[in-house]
Amino acid sequence: MEIRPTTDQDLDVFVDTLHAAFGRFPETPTEGGGVWWSALEMDRGLLALTADGRPVGTAGAYAFELTLPGEILVPAAGVTAVGVLPSHRRQGVLSAMMRHQLTELRAEGEFLSVLLASEALIYRRFGYGPATYTQRLTVPRHQAALALPRARGRADTPATGSDTGTIELLRRAECGEILEEVYDRYRRAQPGALSRPHRWWALGAGQPPVASAPRYVAIHRDADGVPDGYASYSTGEPSTLTVDETIAADDAVFTALARFVLGHDLVTQVVFKHFPPEHPLRWQFADFRAGQVSGDTDWLWVRLLDVPRALTARGWFMDGDSSSSTSTTRSWASTAATC
Ligand SMILES: CC(C)(COP(=O)(O)OP(=O)(O)OC[C@H]1O[C@@H](n2cnc3c(N)ncnc32)[C@H](O)[C@@H]1OP(=O)(O)O)[C@@H](O)C(=O)NCCC(=O)NCCS
């Protein structure tokens, strides 16, 4: 078996092999919207070929920035498009590609690689471990009333009473560059978040709302009218409103957006596909059993390629020394970034 790097000329065979590994057929590009694979960086791809030259495996990598604690931005290779044909599995094809890729990434000077794992048992053997987590949160609308969080004093103030912002409802196609700008500001401050290359947004290549699939988007603006959060959603059967992604500058903005979608008439439940486990929303419901967590799972996996560089690159949430007894309660956060 041969592992070789790809070029732009390999795109069709790469995409075809990858889809066959997942048992799917490539979607047809729609007008005004790119397919996700149009964002692949073919100069960083790998193809595994049999001795007679047939492609049987694929792997790729994106050039990302990852935010570390202390709002430190570092480069990270985003491993993607990993697949081996069903006919050639459990014969070491993935192992050979991973060995090749890790060697290449180190040679290119990368010190971190990251990925989202389709299954939890695949990547640990290659040195990856889960670093952030995500949840799926379902809220029946009849239980969705918010109460004042205990920390706030007045019982007559809604949970988002401190929020002085406004919410505007747009269609995805009307959002222009607002989503990209809001996401970029968010991810720079959020440990564990990945950059989203501009060309993803330009091509509409990714999951909604990066993809330009029809969606409603609630845009939150601060008191000065600057967009600082959004929730992208759609409604479907059976009477479910599904939120693809909620991006918010802080917890109060998140709660304001949640309040907006939870107030939607004619739906019986609201599903947050990617809910950050550390967000206090669940405890802000009057009925604190309202939020039902499922899909409580790993999100971003990280592999340290250069341990000293990786560990010295990170910052801290606050100044201090090892003798200090002060600690911060802020946790590593999951994000809804998609690679
Ligand atoms: C996951 C996948 C890439 C593995 O490829 P592969 O060529 O069969 O993997 P290898 O033969 O190199 O396996 C290496 C080891 O990992 C184990 N392994 C591989 N895939 C596994 C899985 N899905 N679950 C558990 N163990 C797995 C193998 O049993 C083997 O273990 P061993 O070293 O103890 O014998 C392939 O099954 C696939 O394409 N699956 C569908 C697409 C997919 O899920 N891609 C990953 C996207 S994140």
Side-chain angles (χ1 to χ4, degrees):
M1 192 183 45
E2 181 199 357
I3 310 290
R4 73 158 173 83
T6 57
T7 67
D8 287 343
Q9 280 67 48
D10 294 311
L11 182 64
D12 288 347
V13 69
F14 186 97
V15 168
D16 191 60
T17 307
L18 178 63
H19 279 83
F22 279 86
R24 300 192 191 137
F25 292 99
E27 69 218 78
T28 311
T30 54
E31 197 173 334
V35 285
W36 72 265
W37 37 266
S38 58
L40 283 171
E41 298 172 21
M42 291 307 290
D43 56 341
R44 305 188 88 192
L46 295 175
L47 267 179
L49 305 154
T50 56
D52 58 358
R54 279 178 299 140
V56 294
T58 60
Y62 294 117
F64 284 138
E65 256 180 3
L66 174 69
T67 305
L68 301 183
E71 301 191 12
I72 311 275
L73 305 180
V74 295
V79 173
T80 187
V82 171
V84 172
L85 293 186
S87 51
H88 289 74
R89 286 187 188 151
R90 308 304 181 260
Q91 298 168 37
V93 177
L94 174 68
S95 304
M97 289 195 298
M98 286 289 109
R99 275 196 300 273
H100 192 104
Q101 189 182 55
L102 289 169
T103 305
E104 289 289 301
L105 292 176
R106 273 200 204 92
E108 290 164 13
E110 299 277 9
F111 61 94
L112 289 171
S113 59
V114 298
L115 54 80
L116 304 180
S118 63
E119 293 179 273
L121 292 176
I122 301 174
Y123 290 102
R124 216 181 269 277
R125 72 191 70 241
F126 304 118
Y128 287 86
T132 70
Y133 297 84
T134 187
Q135 292 177 340
R136 181 181 177 93
L137 186 74
T138 301
V139 186
R141 268 210 61 231
H142 71 275
Q143 290 175 290
L146 293 173
L148 188 71
R150 282 172 203 271
R152 297 209 183 107
R154 291 175 41 214
D156 59 346
T157 315
T160 52
S162 63
D163 178 47
T164 53
T166 57
I167 289 183
E168 177 187 21
L169 182 61
L170 295 179
R171 286 154 187 79
R172 170 67 183 86
E174 298 169 331
C175 290
E177 297 192 347
I178 295 176
L179 306 186
E180 180 176 357
E181 287 164 8
V182 170
Y183 181 81
D184 199 59
R185 277 198 298 277
Y186 154 84
R187 67 96 182 172
R188 286 170 184 276
Q190 179 63 57
L194 292 172
S195 58
R196 287 183 183 165
H198 170 69
R199 65 194 206 103
W200 286 22
W201 295 98
L203 290 164
Q207 302 295 316
V210 180
S212 45
R215 287 292 188 276
Y216 288 103
V217 187
I219 307 279
H220 186 276
R221 294 175 193 274
D222 67 15
D224 297 323
V226 178
D228 59 0
Y230 65 77
S232 152
Y233 68 91
S234 57
T235 54
E237 295 303 323
S239 302
T240 298
L241 186 154
T242 303
V243 184
D244 307 303
E245 165 168 284
T246 310
I247 294 297
D250 59 32
D251 286 350
V253 173
F254 192 106
T255 300
L257 287 163
R259 222 168 137 75
F260 179 85
V261 292
L262 290 165
H264 209 289
D265 285 339
L266 304 179
V267 297
T268 54
Q269 60 177 5
V270 173
V271 175
F272 295 86
K273 275 168 72 175
H274 291 285
F275 183 77
E278 71 284 357
H279 191 274
L281 180 70
R282 288 176 61 205
W283 318 116
Q284 294 173 336
F285 291 121
D287 176 350
F288 64 81
R289 296 182 189 172
Q292 296 157 12
V293 172
S294 60
D296 188 2
T297 191
D298 52 277
W299 185 244
L300 195 71
W301 289 60
V302 175
R303 166 69 148 96
L304 306 187
L305 301 171
D306 179 333
V307 175
R309 270 182 79 198
L311 296 185
T312 52
R314 60 157 293 164
W316 306 93
F317 294 123
M318 60 199 307
D319 292 334
D321 58 47
S322 56
S323 61
S324 167
S325 60
T326 316
S327 68
T328 173
T329 56
R330 191 169 175 191
S331 62
W332 285 81
S334 70
T335 80
T338 310
C339 56

